Amino acid sequence: MTYEPESTPPVPELLGTDTFGRPVYGHPLAPAQRPLAPVYAAQVPAPARRAAGLSTGRVAALAGAAVAVSLALAVSVLAIAVSVVSLTICLLILRSIWRDVRGGR
């Protein structure tokens, strides 16, 4: 009995890439035995993506924006309150002056 080494399978030829960037290989078989479609390499899985949740920086930015809006609202409410009090005092003083001018005293 003679020992015959197993023949190594033929290596496919790299033809290029397809529209998705995957490598396309020619088939190593004879033309009569080739399939009609090219042979594609196994697709490498995409790298894992981070979750679409909020990161620490986004949470800090949202908290800072909330604080800024709250302070702006508090300042505007305080300004309105001071204006209302000032207007009331002015009206009371003007009413008193009007009574004095008309001879109410």
Side-chain angles (χ1 to χ4, degrees):
M1 184 159 146
T2 61
Y3 173 73
E4 293 182 21
E6 293 182 15
S7 64
T8 58
V11 178
E13 176 186 359
L14 178 64
L15 299 177
T17 58
D18 64 358
T19 55
F20 299 108
R22 298 179 295 196
V24 177
Y25 295 100
H27 206 279
L29 299 176
Q33 299 173 342
R34 285 188 191 158
L36 297 176
V39 178
Y40 290 97
Q43 189 168 359
V44 178
R49 290 187 166 186
R50 287 187 2 198
L54 295 176
S55 65
T56 306
R58 288 184 182 177
V59 170
L62 289 174
V67 168
V69 168
S70 299
L71 287 176
L73 184 63
V75 168
S76 63
V77 167
L78 183 64
I80 291 172
V82 168
S83 300
V84 167
V85 169
S86 300
L87 182 63
T88 303
I89 291 172
C90 286
L91 288 177
L92 289 174
I93 291 173
L94 285 175
R95 186 179 77 167
S96 173
I97 292 174
W98 180 254
R99 282 187 179 170
D100 287 345
V101 168
R102 290 199 46 170
R105 282 196 180 182

Short mmCIF file of all heavy atoms in Angstrom, two decimals, residues 8 11 13 19-20 22 29 31 38 41 50 52 55 57 60 62 71 75-76 79 81 85 88 95 98-99 102:
data_model
loop_
_atom_site.label_atom_id
_atom_site.label_comp_id
_atom_site.label_asym_id
_atom_site.label_seq_id
_atom_site.Cartn_x
_atom_site.Cartn_y
_atom_site.Cartn_z
N THR A 8 -4.34 19.38 -1.17
CA THR A 8 -4.83 20.58 -0.48
C THR A 8 -5.88 21.23 -1.36
O THR A 8 -5.77 21.24 -2.59
CB THR A 8 -3.68 21.56 -0.22
OG1 THR A 8 -3.09 21.90 -1.47
CG2 THR A 8 -2.65 20.97 0.70
N VAL A 11 -6.93 27.43 -3.38
CA VAL A 11 -7.18 28.70 -2.69
C VAL A 11 -7.98 29.61 -3.62
O VAL A 11 -7.59 29.82 -4.76
CB VAL A 11 -5.85 29.37 -2.29
CG1 VAL A 11 -6.10 30.70 -1.61
CG2 VAL A 11 -5.05 28.44 -1.40
N GLU A 13 -9.34 32.94 -5.42
CA GLU A 13 -8.66 34.19 -5.81
C GLU A 13 -9.53 35.38 -5.39
O GLU A 13 -10.73 35.40 -5.61
CB GLU A 13 -8.48 34.20 -7.33
CG GLU A 13 -7.88 35.47 -7.84
CD GLU A 13 -7.86 35.48 -9.36
OE1 GLU A 13 -8.28 34.51 -10.00
OE2 GLU A 13 -7.45 36.52 -9.90
N THR A 19 -20.55 45.98 -3.11
CA THR A 19 -21.00 47.32 -2.73
C THR A 19 -21.10 47.51 -1.22
O THR A 19 -21.14 48.64 -0.74
CB THR A 19 -22.39 47.61 -3.33
OG1 THR A 19 -23.29 46.58 -2.93
CG2 THR A 19 -22.32 47.68 -4.84
N PHE A 20 -21.11 46.44 -0.45
CA PHE A 20 -21.15 46.54 1.01
C PHE A 20 -19.76 46.45 1.63
O PHE A 20 -19.62 46.44 2.84
CB PHE A 20 -22.04 45.44 1.59
CG PHE A 20 -23.46 45.52 1.12
CD1 PHE A 20 -23.96 44.59 0.23
CD2 PHE A 20 -24.28 46.54 1.55
CE1 PHE A 20 -25.26 44.66 -0.21
CE2 PHE A 20 -25.59 46.63 1.10
CZ PHE A 20 -26.07 45.69 0.22
N ARG A 22 -17.68 43.89 1.39
CA ARG A 22 -17.29 42.51 1.69
C ARG A 22 -16.36 42.00 0.58
O ARG A 22 -16.57 42.32 -0.60
CB ARG A 22 -18.52 41.61 1.78
CG ARG A 22 -19.46 41.99 2.89
CD ARG A 22 -20.66 41.10 2.90
NE ARG A 22 -21.42 41.31 1.66
CZ ARG A 22 -22.67 40.92 1.47
NH1 ARG A 22 -23.30 40.27 2.41
NH2 ARG A 22 -23.29 41.15 0.34
N LEU A 29 -12.91 26.12 -8.41
CA LEU A 29 -13.23 24.95 -9.23
C LEU A 29 -13.04 25.25 -10.71
O LEU A 29 -12.94 26.41 -11.12
CB LEU A 29 -14.66 24.50 -8.96
CG LEU A 29 -14.99 24.08 -7.52
CD1 LEU A 29 -16.46 23.75 -7.39
CD2 LEU A 29 -14.13 22.90 -7.12
N PRO A 31 -14.10 25.77 -14.60
CA PRO A 31 -15.26 26.54 -15.09
C PRO A 31 -16.53 25.72 -15.24
O PRO A 31 -17.62 26.24 -15.02
CB PRO A 31 -14.79 27.05 -16.45
CG PRO A 31 -13.31 27.05 -16.36
CD PRO A 31 -12.94 25.94 -15.44
N PRO A 38 -20.74 34.50 -7.20
CA PRO A 38 -19.42 34.49 -6.56
C PRO A 38 -19.52 34.02 -5.11
O PRO A 38 -20.60 34.06 -4.51
CB PRO A 38 -18.98 35.95 -6.63
CG PRO A 38 -20.22 36.73 -6.80
CD PRO A 38 -21.20 35.84 -7.51
N ALA A 41 -16.92 36.02 1.45
CA ALA A 41 -16.27 35.69 2.72
C ALA A 41 -17.29 35.85 3.84
O ALA A 41 -18.28 36.56 3.70
CB ALA A 41 -15.08 36.62 2.96
N ARG A 50 -22.70 51.32 22.07
CA ARG A 50 -23.16 51.67 23.41
C ARG A 50 -24.67 51.83 23.41
O ARG A 50 -25.27 52.09 22.39
CB ARG A 50 -22.54 52.99 23.85
CG ARG A 50 -21.09 52.85 24.20
CD ARG A 50 -20.51 54.10 24.78
NE ARG A 50 -21.47 55.18 24.95
CZ ARG A 50 -21.15 56.43 25.11
NH1 ARG A 50 -19.92 56.79 25.11
NH2 ARG A 50 -22.08 57.36 25.27
N ALA A 52 -28.23 53.52 23.86
CA ALA A 52 -28.65 54.85 23.45
C ALA A 52 -29.18 55.68 24.62
O ALA A 52 -29.83 56.69 24.43
CB ALA A 52 -29.73 54.74 22.38
N SER A 55 -25.86 59.61 28.89
CA SER A 55 -24.54 59.49 29.50
C SER A 55 -24.44 60.49 30.64
O SER A 55 -25.32 61.33 30.85
CB SER A 55 -23.46 59.76 28.45
OG SER A 55 -23.56 61.10 28.02
N GLY A 57 -22.44 63.03 30.96
CA GLY A 57 -22.34 64.40 30.47
C GLY A 57 -23.69 64.96 30.07
O GLY A 57 -23.99 66.13 30.32
N ALA A 60 -25.67 65.78 33.22
CA ALA A 60 -25.17 67.01 33.83
C ALA A 60 -25.62 68.23 33.04
O ALA A 60 -26.00 69.26 33.62
CB ALA A 60 -23.65 66.97 33.92
N LEU A 62 -28.35 68.47 31.16
CA LEU A 62 -29.78 68.66 31.38
C LEU A 62 -30.06 69.23 32.77
O LEU A 62 -30.94 70.10 32.93
CB LEU A 62 -30.51 67.33 31.22
CG LEU A 62 -30.61 66.80 29.78
CD1 LEU A 62 -31.22 65.40 29.78
CD2 LEU A 62 -31.43 67.74 28.93
N LEU A 71 -33.76 79.37 37.81
CA LEU A 71 -33.29 80.66 38.32
C LEU A 71 -33.85 81.82 37.49
O LEU A 71 -34.25 82.85 38.05
CB LEU A 71 -31.76 80.70 38.31
CG LEU A 71 -31.06 79.85 39.37
CD1 LEU A 71 -29.55 79.89 39.19
CD2 LEU A 71 -31.44 80.33 40.76
N VAL A 75 -36.21 84.81 39.03
CA VAL A 75 -35.86 86.23 38.91
C VAL A 75 -36.98 86.99 38.23
O VAL A 75 -37.34 88.11 38.65
CB VAL A 75 -34.52 86.39 38.15
CG1 VAL A 75 -34.28 87.83 37.75
CG2 VAL A 75 -33.38 85.88 39.01
N SER A 76 -37.59 86.41 37.20
CA SER A 76 -38.67 87.12 36.51
C SER A 76 -39.91 87.25 37.40
O SER A 76 -40.57 88.29 37.41
CB SER A 76 -39.02 86.42 35.20
OG SER A 76 -39.50 85.12 35.45
N ALA A 79 -39.19 90.02 39.83
CA ALA A 79 -39.30 91.34 39.19
C ALA A 79 -40.75 91.74 39.02
O ALA A 79 -41.11 92.91 39.23
CB ALA A 79 -38.59 91.31 37.84
N ALA A 81 -43.26 90.79 40.92
CA ALA A 81 -43.79 91.08 42.26
C ALA A 81 -43.36 92.48 42.72
O ALA A 81 -44.17 93.24 43.26
CB ALA A 81 -43.31 90.02 43.25
N VAL A 85 -45.96 95.70 43.53
CA VAL A 85 -45.94 96.43 44.81
C VAL A 85 -45.66 97.91 44.56
O VAL A 85 -46.31 98.79 45.15
CB VAL A 85 -44.90 95.81 45.77
CG1 VAL A 85 -44.68 96.70 46.98
CG2 VAL A 85 -45.36 94.43 46.21
N THR A 88 -48.73 99.61 43.13
CA THR A 88 -49.77 99.78 44.16
C THR A 88 -49.46 100.98 45.05
O THR A 88 -50.34 101.81 45.35
CB THR A 88 -49.88 98.51 45.01
OG1 THR A 88 -50.15 97.41 44.16
CG2 THR A 88 -50.98 98.64 46.06
N ARG A 95 -53.72 108.69 44.67
CA ARG A 95 -55.10 108.86 45.12
C ARG A 95 -55.17 109.82 46.30
O ARG A 95 -56.07 110.68 46.39
CB ARG A 95 -55.68 107.50 45.52
CG ARG A 95 -57.16 107.59 45.86
CD ARG A 95 -57.72 106.25 46.21
NE ARG A 95 -57.27 105.92 47.58
CZ ARG A 95 -57.78 104.93 48.29
NH1 ARG A 95 -58.71 104.15 47.77
NH2 ARG A 95 -57.36 104.71 49.50
N TRP A 98 -54.70 113.31 44.96
CA TRP A 98 -55.90 113.73 44.23
C TRP A 98 -56.99 114.17 45.21
O TRP A 98 -57.67 115.17 44.98
CB TRP A 98 -56.39 112.58 43.35
CG TRP A 98 -57.61 112.90 42.56
CD1 TRP A 98 -58.86 112.46 42.78
CD2 TRP A 98 -57.69 113.77 41.44
NE1 TRP A 98 -59.73 112.97 41.87
CE2 TRP A 98 -59.02 113.79 41.01
CE3 TRP A 98 -56.75 114.53 40.75
CZ2 TRP A 98 -59.47 114.53 39.94
CZ3 TRP A 98 -57.20 115.26 39.66
CH2 TRP A 98 -58.55 115.27 39.26
N ARG A 99 -57.13 113.46 46.30
CA ARG A 99 -58.12 113.86 47.32
C ARG A 99 -57.76 115.20 47.93
O ARG A 99 -58.63 116.02 48.21
CB ARG A 99 -58.23 112.79 48.41
CG ARG A 99 -59.04 111.61 47.99
CD ARG A 99 -59.23 110.68 49.15
NE ARG A 99 -60.04 109.54 48.74
CZ ARG A 99 -60.23 108.48 49.48
NH1 ARG A 99 -59.67 108.42 50.68
NH2 ARG A 99 -60.97 107.49 49.06
N ARG A 102 -58.56 118.02 45.45
CA ARG A 102 -60.01 118.25 45.28
C ARG A 102 -60.63 118.84 46.54
O ARG A 102 -61.80 119.21 46.52
CB ARG A 102 -60.67 116.93 44.93
CG ARG A 102 -60.28 116.51 43.51
CD ARG A 102 -61.17 115.54 42.93
NE ARG A 102 -62.56 115.92 43.13
CZ ARG A 102 -63.57 115.33 42.55
NH1 ARG A 102 -63.34 114.34 41.73
NH2 ARG A 102 -64.79 115.69 42.77
#
